[in-house]
């Protein structure tokens, strides 16, 4: 788990810093470099800046777009108070209008945003403004100020690490309707939080609390095995099969020079087609899962100081040199101390935050909460119904696939012994007694 640094729920933005993150290579990047993943969310829409007509080349015409939402009747009306400091309708309108304009540009023409979505966006804006105000209050307690120049310096530093200029950054963020001033205002809370954390780092109590957090949460600071490598690339993203023979021939020539004793870094600067060429092909440290699979496999199999043969990847052909390795383990406390302090400060400020909303704002929040609860209940009912239907289907399928079991039949009952039949015997029936006639009386003479 990574500790999110310096963010007090700043309105999230997607800034497409193209190029290499230390020129790391991934399958998704525009070059063989790994592009850092950024959080995609609602970008505030800035005013469009159009180039002036040729007659006045030194001027710029700012085309002000109509508001995406109605302006408040009373810009000074208080929406909420943060530890006693007010947030006005005018401040909410300014920030919300930027978001709404950006959203409208991404929606199909004629499509309207649901009112519930508008209400949720307003709530989000009020929350962001409250958190920004809370941070400002903490900075004021310690007399810490952060100028636009300092924020711009941080942006310039990030751009330079990726081989970009401020003008190129402007071009990139213009795709999201943002100007450099918009970017500065969005990055400012991160820089301010960093300054606040550094100021608190000298406080003994904060140091002790940070060390306790570090000791109690070792899993937060685990780092995987990493390798540091440089490479020479002949190829590009989306390389076509018919282009491969040409790039293969060139990389073979480079390999021959390496074997003859040429310097790897100098050859990378001369021949490599990766933006890392200017640094001698150095990609810095990277872990597993960040590079093209074939490249990663070859890099992690090499020992420190070893150079690979020709490795084919989805970008073309590489020769890789491993310059360092880090075993999996925990980051040292000194390395993450300021990050922990920034996290703890945010947590502390959130706990101490006291926001009181106006009656109208509170009513809106109650309504949205009720709607969300109702939607959640409907979703749970639908999920339960779908789960029941799925279970019924699985039961029916299981019953249909079970082999039919033979029906149990009653064993035929043993025949009862038949009653003994009257059998004929060979014995002759006893003769019936013959009546002997009584002797007749003798006749008289």
């Amino acid at each position: 788990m990574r500790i999110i640094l310096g963010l007090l729920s700043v309105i999230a933005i997607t800034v497409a810093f193209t190029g290499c993150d230390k020129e790391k290579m991934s399958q998704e990047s525009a070059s063989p470099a790994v592009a850092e993943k950024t959080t995609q969310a609602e970008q505030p829409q800035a005013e469009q800046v159009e180039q002036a007509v040729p007659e006045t080349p030194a001027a710029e015409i700012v085309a002000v777009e109509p508001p995406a939402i109605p302006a408040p009747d009373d810009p000074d009306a208080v929406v909420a108070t943060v530890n006693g400091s007010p947030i006005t309708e005018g401040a909410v309108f300014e920030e919300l209008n930027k978001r709404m304009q950006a959203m409208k540009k991404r929606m199909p023409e004629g499509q309207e945003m649901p009112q519930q979505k508008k209400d949720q966006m307003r709530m989000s804006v009020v929350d962001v403004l409250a958190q920004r105000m809370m941070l400002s209050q903490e900075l004021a307690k310690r007399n810490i100020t952060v100028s636009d120049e300092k924020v711009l310096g941080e942006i310039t530093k990030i751009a330079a690490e990726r081989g970009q200029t401020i003008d190129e950054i402007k071009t990139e963020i213009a795709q999201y309707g943002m100007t450099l001033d918009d970017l500065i205002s969005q990055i400012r809370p991160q820089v301010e939080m960093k300054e606040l954390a550094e100021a608190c780092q000298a406080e003994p109590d904060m140091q002790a609390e940070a060390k306790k957090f570090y000791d109690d949460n070792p899993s937060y600071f685990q780092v995987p095995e990493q390798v540091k490598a440089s490479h020479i690339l002949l190829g590009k993203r989306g390389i076509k099969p018919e282009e491969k023979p040409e790039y293969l021939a060139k990389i073979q020539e480079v390999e021959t020079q390496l074997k003859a004793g040429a310097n790897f870094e100098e050859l990378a600067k001369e021949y490599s087609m990766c933006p890392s060429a200017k640094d001698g092909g150095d990609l810095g440290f990277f872990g597993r899962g960040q590079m093209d699979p074939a490249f990663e496999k070859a890099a992690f199999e090499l020992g420190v100081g070893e150079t690979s043969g020709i490795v084919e990847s989805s970008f073309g052909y590489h020769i890789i040199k491993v310059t360092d390795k880090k075993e999996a383990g925990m980051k040292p406390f000194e390395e993450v101390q300021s990050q922990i302090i920034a996290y703890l400060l945010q947590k502390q400020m959130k706990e101490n935050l006291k926001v009181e909303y106006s009656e109208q704002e509170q009513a809106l929040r109650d309504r949205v909460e009720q709607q969300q609860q109702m939607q959640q209940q409907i979703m749970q009912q639908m999920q339960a119904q779908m789960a029941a239907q799925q279970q019924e289907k699985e039961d029916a399928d299981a019953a249909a696939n079970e082999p039919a079991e033979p029906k149990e039949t009653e064993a035929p009952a043993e025949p009862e012994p038949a009653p003994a039949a009257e059998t004929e015997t060979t014995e002759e029936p006893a003769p019936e007694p013959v009546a002997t006639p009584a002797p007749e009386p003798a006749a008289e003479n």
Side-chain angles (χ1 to χ4, degrees), residues 231-248:
H231 77 141
I232 300 170
L233 167 68
L234 270 299
K236 59 184 180 181
R237 179 184 178 186
I239 186 173
K240 297 177 181 179
E242 58 269 23
E243 296 174 321
K244 288 187 174 183
E246 177 184 355
Y247 291 127
L248 178 59

Side-chain angles (χ1 to χ4, degrees), residues 167-336:
D167 287 338
E168 290 171 331
I169 293 295
K170 290 180 181 178
T171 301
E172 295 292 340
I173 63 177
Q175 299 178 32
Y176 305 102
M178 293 182 66
T179 66
L180 186 59
D181 287 341
D182 292 320
L183 182 58
I184 289 174
S185 68
Q186 303 308 317
I187 298 298
R188 173 183 294 282
Q190 301 179 45
V191 181
E192 290 176 339
M193 194 66 217
K194 181 180 177 183
E195 292 288 315
L196 180 60
E198 289 177 355
C200 294
Q201 195 165 337
E203 299 175 6
D205 290 346
M206 187 59 73
Q207 288 181 350
E209 190 176 353
K211 185 63 167 64
K212 184 177 185 304
F213 184 90
Y214 177 84
D215 294 336
D216 292 346
N217 300 276
S219 61
Y220 290 1
F221 310 104
Q222 294 291 335
V223 290
E225 176 190 10
Q226 292 182 310
V227 64
K228 183 179 182 182
S230 300
H231 77 141
I232 300 170
L233 167 68
L234 270 299
K236 59 184 180 181
R237 179 184 178 186
I239 186 173
K240 297 177 181 179
E242 58 269 23
E243 296 174 321
K244 288 187 174 183
E246 177 184 355
Y247 291 127
L248 178 59
K250 290 182 179 179
I251 199 82
Q252 288 172 338
E253 293 177 8
V254 174
E255 184 181 37
T256 300
Q257 294 185 51
L258 276 173
K259 290 180 178 179
N263 180 271
F264 187 98
E265 288 71 21
E266 293 303 320
L267 289 177
K269 290 178 180 179
E270 182 176 355
Y271 293 103
S272 182
M273 298 174 68
C274 175
S276 64
K278 68 182 186 303
D279 299 318
D282 183 17
L283 297 171
F285 280 98
F286 54 87
R288 295 185 185 276
Q290 294 182 252
M291 300 293 187
D292 177 279
F295 184 97
E296 175 189 295
K297 182 175 184 296
F300 275 89
E301 287 178 351
L302 292 170
V304 175
E306 292 183 344
T307 301
S308 72
I310 296 173
V311 177
E312 182 177 1
S313 78
S314 60
F315 292 92
Y317 301 96
H318 312 256
I319 298 176
I320 306 167
K321 179 180 179 180
V322 170
T323 56
D324 199 359
K325 283 190 174 183
K326 289 181 180 179
E327 298 297 328
M330 281 184 65
K331 290 184 178 180
F333 173 69
E334 294 72 21
E335 184 178 332
V336 296

Side-chain angles (χ1 to χ4, degrees), residues 350-402:
K350 185 176 181 181
E351 292 171 351
N352 295 334
L353 177 64
K354 294 180 181 179
V355 182
E356 296 181 2
Y357 302 106
S358 66
E359 290 185 9
Q360 183 178 359
E361 182 68 19
Q362 187 61 58
L364 180 144
R365 289 171 176 267
D366 292 342
R367 182 175 69 250
V368 171
E369 183 179 358
Q370 291 174 359
Q371 292 171 343
Q372 291 175 337
Q373 289 176 350
M374 185 178 300
Q375 291 172 348
Q376 186 176 7
Q377 291 174 357
I378 293 173
M379 184 63 66
Q380 290 174 346
Q381 292 173 357
M382 291 177 61
Q383 290 174 345
Q385 184 178 0
M386 292 173 62
Q389 292 174 347
Q390 180 66 23
Q391 187 62 49
E392 289 178 5
K393 182 178 182 301
E394 291 176 359
D395 292 344
D397 292 343
N401 293 330
E402 286 181 1

